[in-house]
């Protein structure tokens, strides 16, 4: 059992990390970035290797349409609305990428083989495209209200970890209030409502809202399983194509945890309308048991 302290949060929290790590996992654990260069965020292009757990989701013959986060050597955490009703054979996932191709090649694409020459550098393992073996959508997912908008994707092959492919940590089942703290969301989604997608991974820092204030701003469908975050003064938000990606927060030892999953919002980047995320800590036990059951 590993014990961690979240930055500026008083309680000591412990996670049974080993239950989601196979023997293929690196001994240094989750949430560690090989590239620790720092940069001020705020809707800017990121840089290669900064968020090595980011996953790009593709359906057959479509552009990248959702994101996710690698949480073990076989599992990606994402939003239910991204994968609900999708057959595993129609879904592919790219890992270890910074600049991504808009559409998967249509000719002789082999899962788990690099097909576009878009690998970051010599650290990438050449197996950046993965097939999907199983999709597990939360059993209580409600599409109309976005309640329980969370899912786990099991890859068809174990991941070979590298400096540009790592897994992110999970938060403990109970967290102190995160209100007014800041987190980071990253993705390849559109840079404005109904705008064009970004071929390069982008990131933005967002403040976390009180749920009551969020409910007043949004008007409905804000639950205790919801986490709200977004710019109150300037535009800062996830947008189309970012769905399923992680809302991330650092820990004192510079390990990162996925505290939320991009779920939905009203337009994008409006200061009075935060983005809505599935609160990962509410589902930590479900995630761990699901990953263990499908290991």
């Amino acid at each position: 059992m590993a014990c961690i302290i979240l930055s500026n949060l008083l309680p000591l929290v412990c996670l049974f990390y080993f239950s989601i790590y196979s023997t293929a996992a690196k001994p240094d654990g989750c949430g560690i970035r090989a590239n620790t260069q720092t940069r001020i965020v705020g809707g800017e292009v990121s840089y290669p290797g900064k968020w090595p757990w980011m996953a790009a989701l593709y359906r057959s013959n479509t552009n990248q349409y959702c994101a996710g986060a690698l949480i073990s050597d076989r599992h990606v955490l994402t939003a239910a609305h991204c994968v609900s009703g999708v057959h595993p054979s129609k879904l592919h996932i790219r890992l270890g990428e910074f600049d991504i191709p808009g559409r998967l090649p249509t000719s002789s694409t082999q899962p788990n083989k690099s097909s576009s020459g878009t690998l970051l550098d010599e650290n990438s393992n050449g197996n950046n495209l993965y097939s999907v073996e199983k999709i597990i959508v939360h059993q209580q997912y409600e599409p109309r209200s976005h309640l329980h908008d969370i899912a786990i994707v099991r890859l068809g092959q174990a991941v070979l970890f590298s400096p540009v492919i790592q897994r992110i940590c999970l938060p403990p089942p109970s967290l102190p209030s995160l209100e007014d703290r800041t987190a980071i969301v990253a993705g390849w989604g559109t840079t404005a409502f109904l705008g064009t997608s970004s071929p390069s991974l982008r990131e933005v820092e967002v403040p976390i809202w009180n749920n009551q204030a969020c409910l007043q701003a949004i008007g409905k469908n804000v639950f205790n399983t919801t986490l709200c975050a977004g710019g109150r003064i300037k535009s800062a938000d996830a947008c189309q194509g970012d769905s399923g990606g992680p809302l991330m927060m650092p820990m004192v030892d510079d390990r990162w945890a996925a505290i939320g999953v991009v779920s939905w919002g009203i337009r994008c980047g409006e200061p009075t309308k935060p983005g809505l995320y599935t609160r990962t800590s509410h589902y930590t036990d479900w995630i761990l048991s699901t990953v263990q059951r499908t290991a």
Side-chain angles (χ1 to χ4, degrees):
M1 182 171 70
C3 296
I4 54 176
I5 303 176
L6 297 183
S7 178
N8 298 324
L9 298 179
L10 296 179
L12 181 68
V13 293
C14 301
L15 293 178
F16 287 92
Y17 286 128
F18 66 83
S19 65
I20 64 170
Y21 300 148
S22 75
T23 54
K26 293 180 67 177
D28 53 6
C30 62
I32 295 176
R33 304 176 299 174
N35 190 339
T36 56
Q37 171 186 348
T38 58
R39 170 181 295 190
I40 296 175
V41 299
E44 298 181 351
V45 173
S46 186
Y47 54 81
K50 186 174 183 181
W51 311 115
W53 36 79
M54 289 297 300
L57 275 60
Y58 292 80
R59 285 178 296 206
S60 298
N61 301 321
T62 68
N63 292 336
Q64 180 269 337
Y65 75 103
C66 271
L70 189 68
I71 57 172
S72 84
D73 67 344
R74 291 294 294 267
H75 299 85
V76 169
L77 183 69
T78 189
H81 77 264
C82 287
V83 294
S84 179
V86 178
H87 193 276
S89 65
K90 302 297 183 182
L91 184 64
H92 290 86
I93 293 180
R94 285 189 179 277
L95 298 171
E97 300 284 7
F98 175 68
D99 292 314
I100 61 172
R103 186 182 293 267
L104 291 179
T106 56
S107 60
S108 65
T109 299
Q110 296 296 321
N112 308 325
K113 296 295 181 182
S114 177
S115 56
S116 64
T118 59
L119 297 179
L120 297 176
D121 52 33
E122 66 276 8
N123 291 322
S124 207
N125 63 15
N127 294 333
N128 65 327
L129 181 62
Y130 288 82
S131 63
V132 171
E133 181 179 280
K134 189 177 181 65
I135 297 172
I136 305 99
V137 173
H138 194 279
Q139 61 273 18
Q140 294 178 295
Y141 168 53
E142 297 181 6
R144 296 186 64 179
S145 67
H146 311 284
L147 182 61
H148 307 302
D149 188 10
I150 193 167
I152 295 172
V153 173
R154 176 177 162 83
L155 303 176
Q157 178 176 319
V159 171
L160 178 62
F161 291 106
S162 74
V164 295
I165 299 180
Q166 291 292 320
R167 59 198 174 279
I168 194 169
C169 299
L170 295 174
S174 297
L175 278 177
S177 173
L178 300 176
E179 181 182 352
D180 294 329
R181 289 174 57 82
T182 57
I184 292 176
V185 62
W188 295 273
T190 58
T191 55
F193 182 65
L194 298 180
T196 57
S197 297
S198 172
S200 299
L201 186 65
R202 298 178 68 87
E203 63 183 64
V204 65
E205 188 175 79
V206 289
I208 297 173
W209 288 43
N210 172 279
N211 265 28
Q212 185 58 41
C214 181
L215 179 60
Q216 292 175 356
I218 299 298
K220 61 178 181 178
N221 298 339
V222 177
F223 312 104
N224 65 343
T225 59
T226 302
L227 193 154
C228 302
R232 285 191 170 92
I233 300 175
K234 63 179 181 178
S235 176
D237 198 2
C239 208
Q240 293 101 342
D242 294 325
S243 288
L247 181 67
M248 305 173 284
M249 183 174 285
M251 302 176 187
V252 292
D253 55 359
D254 202 32
R255 292 176 186 257
W256 288 77
I259 62 168
V261 175
V262 179
S263 181
W264 68 286
I266 298 176
R267 299 176 67 90
C268 302
E270 296 189 10
T272 59
K273 305 290 184 184
L276 287 90
Y277 300 78
T278 302
R279 189 182 293 264
T280 315
S281 60
H282 184 87
Y283 300 93
T284 298
D285 290 339
W286 177 80
I287 295 169
L288 290 173
S289 63
T290 301
V291 168
Q292 189 174 40
R293 189 175 69 250
T294 60

